[in-house]
Amino acid sequence: FSVPALRVALRFFFFFFPVSGFGIDPSLRIDVFEDLNIEESYAGVSQVQGFHNESTAFLFKDMWRSVRASAGVSERMLQKLRGRVEFTLLLTLKQDKFNSGVMLSIHHGEQRYLELESSGQRSEVRLHYWTAERRTHSEVFPYSLADGRWHRVALSLSASQLVLYVDCSRIYERLVETPSMDVPAGTTVWLGQRNNAHGFFKGVMQDVQLLLMPQGYISQCPDLNRTCPTCNDFHGLVQKIMELQDILAKTSGKLARAEERMRALDGCYCERTCSLNGEIYRDEEVWIDGCKNCTCLNGTVECESIFCPAPQCPPNTAPAYIPGACCKECQSVCLFRGRVYVEGDRKSVRDSTGTCLLFECRNRSMRRVESTSCPELTCPESEQITLTDRCCKVCRGHDFCAEGYSSSCVENSECVNLEAGACCSCRDGYRALRDDSAYCQDVDECAEGKHYCRENTVCVNTPGSFMCVCQTGYIRIDDYSCTEHDECISGLHRCDENALCFNMVGGHSCTCKPGYVGNGTVCRAQCDGLCHNGGSCVAPDTCICQQGFTGRRCETDIDECSDGFVECDSRATCVNLPGWYHCECRDGYHDNGMFSANGESCEDIDECETGRHNCANDTVCFNMDGGYDCRCPHGKNCTGDCVHEGKVKHNRQIWVLDDDRCSVCSCQTGLVMCRRMVCDCENPTVDVSCCPECDPRLTSQCLHQNGLLTYNNGDTWVENCQQCQCMRGEVDCWPVPCAAVLDCEFLVVPEGECCPHCVSDPCQADTVRNDITKTCVDEYGITRFSGSAWTKHGTECSLCQCKVTRQSSDASVNDMFF
């Protein structure tokens, strides 16, 4: 695919897709408020004044609400979103200060297909979505929406391009993993919360919409306009051109082969004969075979059922089948006691004395038949059956076919006994040619698609059945499938060491052993209750904890500070963290930039030189290790007062900071000393706002994601690579920070870990930095861009992908991986 051709393609794109206006097709819009019928009564949601004059918005306030779309409404909404890789999420909101809540969540179980949340505690906007690599991906944008003011938010996704607009300003633009909206049935849609227990948004929202296009922000900010195609526009156009080139190449090849065959057949004439039941028929010869009209056409016998027109029978006759004929013919009938009987039919009646009389229809009249004595029956009377065409009773299960009825079942039909008679029934693999099933024809299971032949086999029709014949070079697995070889026996399989291998058509399948879960190629041990805090389940019901955690399920954080594992420098104090610790510089010290783990990089702050002291005007500042001192010059009488935030504080005066009610300051001989309030949970007057760990109220506690553990206000923990904190009854989680991986082309996240590592094998990589200027050439000579995927020719079960494997200053080499 040359550069000039690409330029032509782009001119083609802008010619046929100009940006002249922005009208939105209703089929491309999902209005969440309208679909949820939010104007109906939802507990905890009330209607208020919106962002614009006379517009309507809704206030979300309580934590006992459940704003969730019903199953039917969710499915109607998701039908539009399903399969999309381009969409824009729009909303207008005013979020309460410091609130951390979810605006919109579309999830199924633990899989979040699309979720937008705003953390006021960390001043972040977070987007969680399901990727084409079938895992949840999170993007974090440092930005504060929870400031009590109105904001218009637009989040646009187009393949791997993500753009965040706030108040019509482009805040962030990133290349991310491609989303996948393959949303399964049963997925739930929540508004203003993640579920009934977590992520409650507090504030006002309006105009929450999903537009199934990447430039949907223009409807929110009409003054904005796009000047370039999106990534998905470009990739889609390039892929379409490549597909057209592929189709053209294949069509040209087929046309050339057809012309060669036609030239070879010119001047050749062959008459092919047909063979059926030992008889030879010439081409186009026609004959009757049973109840079928057959023709020999080019060596193949083609038969079709004889058409039987409805006979127009004169009075005192009726249509009926006769031996040797396929169609019904008019036969004389008898009228007897109000019923019609065909020639040969019999009827038994009883006279006034109870004697049985037997009549038979002959020559249009019912004639009496001399009855013989009845044989003695060996069955009990309860098992004896009275019949209408004879005077003698028979035992239940009597063999009527043995009395000669089987002679009526002519072609591919067999006699079947009923309770009071017999009938004809087609053998397996045959269908009836007439309504009494006396004549039946073979069902061609191969032509009608009623066979079970699988890949690498050819269906061959047989009388009453079919056969699955292996293609050349393949071996049989069972009656319906063949394979080229047994990968399980030869060891050429990709099953995990904790999986069982089963050979199948064209390959094999892997199933994890008991006690392990996975797809067979990767099996991981299953632990009852799961392993917490990033612990790894290494064997059935056996957890190995990450550093800093302990317990049977790694549920307990090791307090390195209190357990004596850590010795911080005298200028630093130990602070315990979930799974780790930190030596934090004490007041009066700061890190010199070397960031030593034990605090040796902490240096004294010269408050006097930097002006970070509160000495009164009549005192002199003297720097001290870890602090400073305000001294009165010799010969002067100093007051010892302090100046704090422009106000004079008297010596030994104590006060609480205006902007931090949890900090207490005092003036000590011209020196202002401030510290955090000491938390004594035994004190009944303790301020729980400053000491969240002392808050005993159930409303301030948080429920763990698994619904089993309870956390107090202020507690922190790690769950599924998320750092979580309980803040006054609400859980706020954010991704565990990972160090940047530089100069790394292929990345993989190992099992049980949260952060990516470099790998050299692109087939093992979870993500690849694709460069569309690099290409691969497939087995048919078609050029493929790096990162593109396609189905291998000739099979539906092999997926190929172009990945960059080596790059240098002179050239780049690319390969395909399956």
Side-chain angles (χ1 to χ4, degrees):
F1 196 68
S2 62
V3 174
L6 183 59
R7 292 172 178 168
V8 171
L10 289 175
R11 288 198 294 269
F12 169 85
F13 176 84
F14 285 110
F15 179 79
F16 283 99
F17 301 98
V19 182
S20 57
F22 201 83
I24 299 176
D25 187 343
S27 64
L28 301 178
R29 181 196 299 270
I30 300 176
D31 192 323
V32 180
F33 277 176
E34 180 179 338
D35 289 342
L36 265 65
N37 198 11
I38 200 68
E39 294 183 359
E40 296 292 331
S41 176
Y42 277 93
V45 180
S46 57
Q47 184 172 319
V48 296
Q49 173 69 39
F51 175 61
H52 303 288
N53 292 333
E54 300 181 359
S55 63
T56 302
F58 294 91
L59 173 64
F60 294 74
K61 54 183 180 179
D62 294 331
M63 293 181 60
W64 309 109
R65 62 179 186 261
S66 182
V67 185
R68 173 186 180 182
S70 64
V73 172
S74 294
E75 184 59 26
R76 287 198 301 272
M77 297 169 66
L78 298 178
Q79 279 181 354
K80 297 182 179 180
L81 185 62
R82 194 168 281 123
R84 300 279 184 171
V85 295
E86 289 188 323
F87 52 86
T88 302
L89 175 59
L90 303 176
L91 65 156
T92 304
L93 57 83
K94 182 170 67 173
Q95 187 177 6
D96 292 354
K97 290 184 177 181
F98 308 116
N99 168 248
S100 295
V102 173
M103 286 81 84
L104 180 69
S105 179
I106 300 175
H107 63 267
H108 185 277
E110 296 297 326
Q111 296 178 5
R112 292 186 281 189
Y113 287 90
L114 183 64
E115 181 176 295
L116 183 65
E117 65 172 326
S118 169
S119 172
Q121 300 292 338
R122 295 180 58 84
S123 298
E124 292 177 346
V125 178
R126 306 175 192 136
L127 174 68
H128 312 280
Y129 64 90
W130 190 247
T131 70
E133 300 293 332
R134 304 189 64 80
R135 61 172 176 262
T136 300
H137 179 74
S138 299
E139 283 292 327
V140 179
F141 306 97
Y143 196 87
S144 178
L145 292 177
D147 54 7
R149 295 194 294 266
W150 281 104
H151 295 286
R152 289 178 292 176
V153 180
L155 192 70
S156 174
L157 262 170
S158 172
S160 59
Q161 182 182 17
L162 188 151
V163 186
L164 174 64
Y165 289 87
V166 178
D167 297 327
C168 297
S169 297
R170 181 180 301 199
I171 305 299
Y172 291 100
E173 182 172 3
R174 298 178 181 174
L175 290 179
V176 298
E177 294 191 50
T178 304
S180 172
M181 290 296 110
D182 292 334
V183 185
T187 299
T188 55
V189 179
W190 295 80
L191 182 64
Q193 58 196 99
R194 177 174 296 116
N195 47 44
N196 280 324
H198 298 105
F200 289 94
F201 173 87
K202 292 183 180 180
V204 183
M205 278 195 294
Q206 72 177 102
D207 300 332
V208 180
Q209 302 180 55
L210 271 167
L211 302 184
L212 307 182
M213 56 184 65
Q215 300 84 22
Y217 53 82
I218 299 178
S219 68
Q220 190 183 70
C221 306
D223 292 336
L224 295 175
N225 207 342
R226 72 166 186 166
T227 58
C228 298
T230 63
C231 292
N232 198 60
D233 292 336
F234 177 80
H235 282 291
L237 180 61
V238 171
Q239 186 67 28
K240 182 60 66 177
I241 294 176
M242 294 173 64
E243 290 174 0
L244 292 175
Q245 287 180 332
D246 190 11
I247 294 173
L248 178 60
K250 291 180 179 178
T251 305
S252 300
K254 291 180 179 179
L255 181 60
R257 290 192 295 270
E259 290 176 346
E260 291 179 2
R261 296 187 62 182
M262 291 179 64
R263 284 194 297 268
L265 293 175
D266 287 345
C268 177
Y269 174 76
C270 299
E271 180 182 9
R272 303 183 63 182
T273 59
C274 303
S275 176
L276 181 66
N277 299 328
E279 295 288 335
I280 302 298
Y281 299 94
R282 296 191 62 181
D283 193 34
E284 297 186 358
E285 185 176 351
V286 179
W287 70 96
I288 297 177
D289 180 24
C291 287
K292 302 185 295 292
N293 286 325
C294 297
T295 306
C296 177
L297 294 175
N298 197 25
T300 302
V301 176
E302 295 184 1
C303 298
E304 60 181 12
S305 302
I306 294 176
F307 173 71
C308 294
Q312 301 296 325
C313 295
N316 298 325
T317 63
Y321 290 115
I322 62 174
C326 289
C327 300
K328 290 183 177 181
E329 298 181 4
C330 295
Q331 299 290 314
S332 59
V333 297
C334 303
L335 295 177
F336 183 67
R337 294 192 176 185
R339 294 191 61 183
V340 177
Y341 295 90
V342 181
E343 185 79 13
D345 287 351
R346 289 188 174 189
K347 175 63 178 175
S348 63
V349 296
R350 293 189 180 274
D351 59 11
S352 59
T353 63
T355 302
C356 179
L357 304 177
L358 184 62
F359 294 87
E360 182 179 352
C361 178
R362 293 200 301 266
N363 297 326
R364 300 186 178 181
S365 66
M366 299 296 289
R367 302 179 186 275
R368 184 175 174 182
V369 178
E370 293 297 331
S371 59
T372 59
S373 60
C374 296
E376 183 178 355
L377 301 178
T378 59
C379 58
E381 186 174 355
S382 61
E383 293 293 318
Q384 297 177 7
I385 302 173
T386 301
L387 305 175
T388 61
D389 62 348
R390 64 184 69 184
C391 287
C392 296
K393 294 183 178 181
V394 297
C395 291
R396 191 181 304 278
H398 180 72
D399 190 354
F400 297 98
C401 294
E403 296 179 348
Y405 189 85
S406 59
S407 61
S408 301
C409 305
V410 182
E411 187 176 348
N412 301 316
S413 178
E414 57 187 5
C415 181
V416 177
N417 283 303
L418 303 177
E419 183 174 346
C423 70
C424 294
S425 177
C426 292
R427 294 188 178 95
D428 292 340
Y430 296 87
R431 68 164 61 94
L433 290 174
R434 65 186 204 184
D435 52 8
D436 63 352
S437 298
Y439 289 84
C440 303
Q441 68 176 359
D442 175 52
V443 176
D444 190 343
E445 293 85 357
C446 299
E448 298 182 10
K450 296 181 179 179
H451 62 87
Y452 309 106
C453 296
R454 302 186 63 189
E455 194 174 2
N456 304 321
T457 64
V458 177
C459 180
V460 178
N461 187 57
T462 60
S465 184
F466 63 94
M467 293 176 56
C468 300
V469 180
C470 291
Q471 294 180 354
T472 304
Y474 290 83
I475 60 175
R476 182 171 298 281
I477 295 179
D478 52 37
D479 290 342
Y480 308 107
S481 55
C482 303
T483 184
E484 68 279 8
H485 60 272
D486 192 335
E487 293 94 342
C488 297
I489 295 178
S490 63
L492 300 175
H493 60 81
R494 296 185 179 181
C495 297
D496 191 89
E497 62 180 357
N498 296 311
L500 301 175
C501 179
F502 299 96
N503 194 50
M504 297 180 63
V505 178
H508 61 279
S509 67
C510 305
T511 302
C512 294
K513 296 178 181 178
Y516 295 85
V517 294
N519 59 7
T521 57
V522 177
C523 296
R524 65 178 185 275
Q526 187 174 19
C527 293
D528 183 22
L530 303 179
C531 301
H532 300 290
N533 297 313
S536 300
C537 184
V538 296
D541 209 27
T542 303
C543 294
I544 289 185
C545 303
Q546 287 192 350
Q547 183 177 0
F549 294 95
T550 186
R552 185 167 176 267
R553 291 287 175 263
C554 307
E555 71 279 2
T556 304
D557 171 52
I558 298 176
D559 191 341
E560 293 84 357
C561 298
S562 63
D563 292 348
F565 292 121
V566 179
E567 289 186 7
C568 293
D569 189 85
S570 60
R571 293 162 291 183
T573 182
C574 182
V575 177
N576 185 56
L577 298 173
W580 198 235
Y581 67 93
H582 172 58
C583 289
E584 187 176 274
C585 295
R586 297 179 183 272
D587 291 341
Y589 298 91
H590 71 99
D591 197 282
N592 60 9
M594 302 301 293
F595 300 104
S596 174
N598 62 355
E600 291 180 353
S601 56
C602 295
E603 293 182 348
D604 174 58
I605 299 174
D606 190 340
E607 294 86 356
C608 300
E609 182 179 348
T610 59
R612 297 171 59 179
H613 63 86
N614 293 311
C615 293
N617 293 333
D618 55 355
T619 61
V620 178
C621 176
F622 286 88
N623 185 58
M624 302 177 65
D625 191 26
Y628 62 94
D629 188 16
C630 298
R631 300 178 182 178
C632 185
H634 181 70
K636 290 189 177 182
N637 185 18
C638 298
T639 63
D641 293 342
C642 306
V643 177
H644 182 258
E645 295 182 349
K647 298 180 181 179
V648 176
K649 303 294 183 179
H650 298 295
N651 191 21
R652 295 187 179 87
Q653 181 178 350
I654 301 174
W655 68 96
V656 177
L657 293 178
D658 294 335
D659 56 353
D660 185 3
R661 57 184 288 186
C662 301
S663 294
V664 179
C665 298
S666 64
C667 178
Q668 302 291 334
T669 316
L671 178 64
V672 176
M673 305 293 291
C674 296
R675 60 176 174 83
R676 295 286 294 177
M677 183 181 296
V678 178
C679 292
D680 181 8
C681 296
E682 300 297 329
N683 185 357
T685 62
V686 66
D687 189 342
V688 295
S689 298
C690 301
C691 303
E693 64 271 19
C694 301
D695 192 346
R697 295 175 299 177
L698 293 178
T699 56
S700 297
Q701 295 178 343
C702 300
L703 191 64
H704 188 270
Q705 290 92 325
N706 60 19
L708 301 177
L709 300 177
T710 301
Y711 292 99
N712 293 325
N713 191 18
D715 286 352
T716 59
W717 67 96
V718 176
E719 179 71 21
N720 293 332
C721 299
Q722 296 276 309
Q723 176 75 51
C724 299
Q725 184 176 21
C726 178
M727 299 299 295
R728 298 181 180 88
E730 296 185 26
V731 177
D732 187 20
C733 297
W734 56 93
V736 172
C738 295
V741 182
L742 303 177
D743 298 329
C744 183
E745 194 166 23
F746 307 117
L747 302 176
V748 63
V749 179
E751 181 76 18
E753 297 187 19
C754 301
C755 297
H757 298 283
C758 291
V759 293
S760 59
D761 187 355
C763 289
Q764 298 178 355
D766 293 330
T767 59
V768 179
R769 296 178 180 175
N770 294 312
D771 183 355
I772 63 173
T773 63
K774 306 299 185 297
T775 59
C776 304
V777 178
D778 66 13
E779 67 272 28
Y780 278 82
I782 305 300
T783 301
R784 306 284 184 175
F785 281 97
S786 177
S788 63
W790 66 96
T791 302
K792 185 180 180 182
H793 296 283
T795 175
E796 297 180 355
C797 301
S798 295
L799 182 67
C800 305
Q801 187 176 13
C802 177
K803 293 185 178 181
V804 179
T805 60
R806 185 170 69 255
Q807 193 168 4
S808 65
S809 59
D810 299 327
S812 62
V813 180
N814 308 288
D815 290 327
M816 293 182 298
F817 297 93
F818 303 92

mmCIF file of all heavy atoms in Angstrom, residues 11 26 75 297 342 394 438 744 804:
data_model
loop_
_atom_site.group_PDB
_atom_site.id
_atom_site.type_symbol
_atom_site.label_atom_id
_atom_site.label_comp_id
_atom_site.label_asym_id
_atom_site.label_seq_id
_atom_site.Cartn_x
_atom_site.Cartn_y
_atom_site.Cartn_z
ATOM 1 N N ARG A 11 -7.850 11.824 0.172
ATOM 2 C CA ARG A 11 -8.646 12.778 -0.603
ATOM 3 C C ARG A 11 -10.040 12.223 -0.858
ATOM 4 O O ARG A 11 -11.029 12.949 -0.812
ATOM 5 C CB ARG A 11 -7.923 13.090 -1.929
ATOM 6 C CG ARG A 11 -6.689 13.947 -1.768
ATOM 7 C CD ARG A 11 -6.280 14.575 -3.111
ATOM 8 N NE ARG A 11 -5.864 13.572 -4.054
ATOM 9 C CZ ARG A 11 -4.604 13.160 -4.186
ATOM 10 N NH1 ARG A 11 -3.654 13.678 -3.416
ATOM 11 N NH2 ARG A 11 -4.293 12.232 -5.064
ATOM 12 N N PRO A 26 -31.252 9.960 15.518
ATOM 13 C CA PRO A 26 -31.742 9.428 16.804
ATOM 14 C C PRO A 26 -31.267 8.009 17.088
ATOM 15 O O PRO A 26 -31.134 7.629 18.250
ATOM 16 C CB PRO A 26 -33.264 9.492 16.648
ATOM 17 C CG PRO A 26 -33.497 10.552 15.623
ATOM 18 C CD PRO A 26 -32.336 10.477 14.674
ATOM 19 N N GLU A 75 -31.338 -3.611 27.845
ATOM 20 C CA GLU A 75 -31.065 -4.303 26.585
ATOM 21 C C GLU A 75 -31.316 -3.393 25.389
ATOM 22 O O GLU A 75 -30.559 -3.402 24.417
ATOM 23 C CB GLU A 75 -31.940 -5.559 26.501
ATOM 24 C CG GLU A 75 -31.684 -6.416 25.266
ATOM 25 C CD GLU A 75 -30.250 -6.913 25.169
ATOM 26 O OE1 GLU A 75 -29.589 -7.045 26.225
ATOM 27 O OE2 GLU A 75 -29.785 -7.153 24.048
ATOM 28 N N LEU A 297 -28.915 -37.561 -16.310
ATOM 29 C CA LEU A 297 -28.391 -36.278 -16.773
ATOM 30 C C LEU A 297 -26.897 -36.232 -16.500
ATOM 31 O O LEU A 297 -26.469 -36.166 -15.327
ATOM 32 C CB LEU A 297 -29.101 -35.110 -16.080
ATOM 33 C CG LEU A 297 -30.585 -34.933 -16.410
ATOM 34 C CD1 LEU A 297 -31.175 -33.812 -15.561
ATOM 35 C CD2 LEU A 297 -30.749 -34.614 -17.889
ATOM 36 N N VAL A 342 -64.554 -49.403 1.192
ATOM 37 C CA VAL A 342 -63.921 -49.650 -0.095
ATOM 38 C C VAL A 342 -63.868 -51.159 -0.330
ATOM 39 O O VAL A 342 -63.917 -51.964 0.625
ATOM 40 C CB VAL A 342 -62.520 -49.021 -0.132
ATOM 41 C CG1 VAL A 342 -61.849 -49.239 -1.484
ATOM 42 C CG2 VAL A 342 -62.594 -47.541 0.185
ATOM 43 N N VAL A 394 -58.283 -60.622 19.796
ATOM 44 C CA VAL A 394 -56.857 -60.922 19.773
ATOM 45 C C VAL A 394 -56.220 -60.397 21.057
ATOM 46 O O VAL A 394 -56.786 -59.533 21.741
ATOM 47 C CB VAL A 394 -56.162 -60.271 18.550
ATOM 48 C CG1 VAL A 394 -56.715 -60.842 17.259
ATOM 49 C CG2 VAL A 394 -56.295 -58.747 18.592
ATOM 50 N N ALA A 438 -46.247 -46.335 1.980
ATOM 51 C CA ALA A 438 -45.942 -47.610 1.335
ATOM 52 C C ALA A 438 -44.729 -47.482 0.429
ATOM 53 O O ALA A 438 -44.020 -48.460 0.198
ATOM 54 C CB ALA A 438 -47.154 -48.109 0.557
ATOM 55 N N CYS A 744 10.667 0.202 25.973
ATOM 56 C CA CYS A 744 10.167 -1.167 26.018
ATOM 57 C C CYS A 744 9.098 -1.306 24.954
ATOM 58 O O CYS A 744 8.118 -0.554 24.946
ATOM 59 C CB CYS A 744 9.598 -1.486 27.397
ATOM 60 S SG CYS A 744 9.029 -3.176 27.557
ATOM 61 N N VAL A 804 5.198 -5.714 15.215
ATOM 62 C CA VAL A 804 6.585 -5.314 14.961
ATOM 63 C C VAL A 804 7.487 -6.118 15.882
ATOM 64 O O VAL A 804 7.282 -6.149 17.087
ATOM 65 C CB VAL A 804 6.773 -3.812 15.223
ATOM 66 C CG1 VAL A 804 8.217 -3.422 14.978
ATOM 67 C CG2 VAL A 804 5.839 -3.012 14.341
#
